[in-house]
């Protein structure tokens, strides 16, 4: 379980980094589903989810759970 302060530190550290999300996908010309290319994380917010603070990040204009990020660099 992360505290509010830990999530703020993590959120600030992710701003400006590139990452992919397990949720953001694209279709290829042949109709296959692939992960969208890595995009820059531009913002974060801490929300309440199931009565616990949870980190959400904005990537390519979409707000997603930080837990779904992969390939962060």
């Amino acid at each position: 379980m992360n505290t509010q302060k830990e999530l703020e530190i993590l959120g600030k550290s992710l701003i400006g980094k590139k990452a992919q999300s397990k949720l953001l996908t694209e279709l290829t010309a042949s109709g296959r589903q692939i992960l969208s290319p890595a995009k820059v994380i531009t913002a974060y917010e801490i929300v309440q989810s199931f009565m616990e603070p949870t980190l959400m990040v904005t990537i390519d204009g979409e707000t997603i759970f930080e837990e779904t990020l992969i390939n962060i660099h």
Side-chain angles (χ1 to χ4, degrees):
M1 178 189 315
N2 290 322
T3 65
Q4 181 91 10
K5 186 67 174 170
E6 291 171 330
L7 292 175
E8 285 181 33
I9 293 168
L10 177 58
K12 288 177 184 176
S13 73
L14 290 174
I15 298 293
K17 292 185 178 178
K18 286 188 172 187
Q20 290 177 292
S21 172
K22 295 182 242 180
L23 300 177
L24 300 177
T25 60
E26 297 177 352
L27 293 177
T28 64
S30 62
R32 295 188 57 215
Q33 190 174 17
I34 60 170
L35 290 177
S36 295
K39 306 275 184 180
V40 176
I41 299 169
T42 56
Y44 76 94
E45 68 178 307
I46 298 170
V47 299
Q48 292 294 318
S49 177
F50 299 103
M51 308 265 305
E52 292 188 21
T54 305
L55 183 64
M56 304 283 289
V57 296
T58 303
I59 183 170
D60 196 31
E62 301 290 332
T63 303
I64 56 172
F65 287 102
E66 175 269 334
E67 300 152 352
T68 67
L69 294 179
I70 58 173
N71 301 329
I72 302 169
H73 56 281

